[in-house]
Amino acid sequence: MEFKDLEIFQMVAQKGTITEAAKALSYVQSNITARIYKLEKELNTPLFNRHNRGMSLTPEGKKLLVYCEKILTLTNEMKKVVQSGEEPSGKLEIGSVETVIQLPTILSIYTKKYKNVDLSLLTGVTNQLQQDVLNHRLDGAFVTETDLHPDLVSHDVFQEELVLISDSSTTSLEQLIHKPFLCFSKGCGYRARLESWYQDQNITPQKVMEFGTLETILSSVVIGLGITFVPRSAVPHLEKRGLIQCHILPAKYSKIKTVFIRRSNAYLTSTIEKFIETIEHTKDSALPIVRHNSETILNGG
């Protein structure tokens, strides 16, 4: 059994088809198929169920995937430890929630300074990103501060204020609570904060609509589809143009901190160490909060 066989097996398990796995690995499909059959023959058990929609893991395949991920993770970490030197290099896989306004600055400074690092970025919600870091799929991630798993450590990035935003014509609390709540999927820290406010106010949202991107959520608010709860730094351009109105909630719901998390037991290579240093150097340049006379304050809770 070769490491390459395990990498191919893992990719097919993730993608669900030979075609997609071949694209991801830049292999011909016949090579992928041959490697899978070779692995199944070596282990003397079928690893995939073949069907019209693609391939799904058998119970034996699911068992192998657990060990496969552990082996490949340890192999990658071994390479990082051995190859680690003063100058950052190699792959760096980072995750982030969508609303880290300082992220472009951090990435720009880092990639310009350390040109030998192959940095990739995955976006998602806080809970999923934490799991990705814990399961070694990411080297680290920018998330909303929450109760951390004991195997994670965090580094402060910045603190800011969340605001409830609506289209420019919505002004009263009564109007707001009857609007659909536009949000990311479950596991989003901002969504959890507003749901907590709803609960404390004994309000049941009329409708919850989930979206995949911040841009779509903001555009939907502007045209009056619903309301959302986002960092103030994400909307000054819309507020300045009079396209939205901001509504302030009490600090227990609106004050929020963004942190960078990583595994506590992972070897701290120069690549990730310098990334954390870059965060430290830029975190004090957060945008100041600018208040407008058009804002409304929703007390209570």
Side-chain angles (χ1 to χ4, degrees):
M1 185 186 303
E2 301 177 18
F3 285 123
K4 186 56 67 178
D5 294 335
L6 296 179
E7 289 176 351
I8 290 173
F9 166 75
Q10 182 185 51
M11 187 59 68
V12 175
Q14 290 175 355
K15 298 297 184 180
T17 68
I18 293 291
T19 302
E20 292 301 317
K23 286 181 182 178
L25 294 169
S26 299
Y27 283 5
V28 295
Q29 294 184 40
S30 59
N31 190 12
I32 299 288
T33 301
R35 290 272 194 159
I36 293 297
Y37 276 120
K38 172 178 173 288
L39 189 58
E40 289 180 320
K41 185 177 180 180
E42 186 174 347
L43 295 173
N44 195 31
T45 185
L47 300 172
F48 290 97
N49 297 305
R50 277 82 169 172
H51 45 74
N52 293 334
R53 298 185 304 278
M55 301 171 69
S56 58
L57 290 170
T58 63
E60 291 76 15
K62 292 177 181 178
K63 293 176 186 177
L64 177 62
L65 183 61
V66 173
Y67 288 97
C68 175
E69 290 179 339
K70 290 180 179 178
I71 292 169
L72 294 177
T73 295
L74 287 172
T75 302
N76 290 332
E77 190 161 316
M78 175 188 69
K79 290 178 181 177
K80 289 179 180 178
V81 171
V82 172
Q83 296 171 356
S84 180
E86 290 299 318
E87 181 64 23
S89 62
K91 294 192 68 173
L92 180 61
E93 296 170 313
I94 299 298
S96 179
V97 294
E98 278 218 3
T99 49
V100 181
I101 302 302
Q102 287 182 286
L103 185 58
T105 300
I106 294 170
L107 298 183
S108 177
I109 292 173
Y110 184 81
T111 55
K112 286 178 180 177
K113 189 171 183 179
Y114 306 110
K115 300 183 183 298
N116 293 326
V117 175
D118 178 15
L119 190 151
S120 60
L121 179 70
L122 171 75
T123 59
V125 296
T126 290
N127 286 5
Q128 183 57 54
L129 292 172
Q130 284 195 54
Q131 289 303 311
D132 288 342
V133 174
L134 284 169
N135 294 325
H136 303 271
R137 288 190 287 267
L138 293 172
D139 295 305
F142 295 92
V143 299
T144 300
E145 186 181 44
T146 184
D147 292 332
L148 285 180
H149 189 281
D151 290 339
L152 295 173
V153 293
S154 67
H155 305 266
D156 290 350
V157 182
F158 64 94
Q159 181 172 313
E160 61 180 334
E161 180 182 35
L162 297 176
V163 288
L164 185 64
I165 67 168
S166 66
D167 66 290
S168 58
S169 65
T170 305
T171 56
S172 70
L173 177 61
E174 187 66 23
Q175 288 177 303
L176 287 171
I177 63 177
H178 286 95
K179 289 272 191 178
F181 174 28
L182 314 183
C183 56
F184 293 109
S185 61
K186 281 285 187 181
C188 169
Y190 310 144
R191 174 174 177 168
R193 287 295 187 93
L194 189 58
E195 287 177 336
S196 177
W197 177 75
Y198 276 134
Q199 184 175 2
D200 290 347
Q201 298 297 313
N202 294 316
I203 298 171
T204 301
Q206 298 297 304
K207 189 174 185 179
V208 176
M209 302 175 67
E210 294 183 357
F211 294 84
T213 68
L214 177 63
E215 182 180 358
T216 304
I217 291 175
L218 296 181
S219 298
S220 299
V221 171
V222 169
I223 64 174
L225 182 60
I227 62 173
T228 194
F229 202 40
V230 293
R232 175 184 290 277
S233 56
V235 296
H237 61 297
L238 298 176
E239 190 177 12
K240 185 177 181 180
R241 292 164 60 192
L243 298 176
I244 62 165
Q245 181 159 192
C246 293
H247 310 272
I248 312 303
L249 297 190
K252 65 179 289 189
Y253 311 104
S254 61
K255 299 301 181 184
I256 199 162
K257 185 182 291 185
T258 296
V259 297
F260 180 76
I261 59 172
R262 61 179 179 84
R263 293 186 307 279
S264 58
N265 60 351
Y267 177 77
L268 194 61
T269 65
S270 60
T271 303
I272 191 71
E273 187 174 27
K274 294 301 182 183
F275 189 79
I276 294 170
E277 284 184 11
T278 304
I279 294 172
E280 294 294 328
H281 291 156
T282 58
K283 71 179 184 180
D284 294 329
S285 59
L287 295 173
I289 294 176
V290 179
R291 298 193 177 280
H292 295 263
N293 293 332
S294 61
E295 293 171 357
T296 60
I297 299 177
L298 305 178
N299 293 310

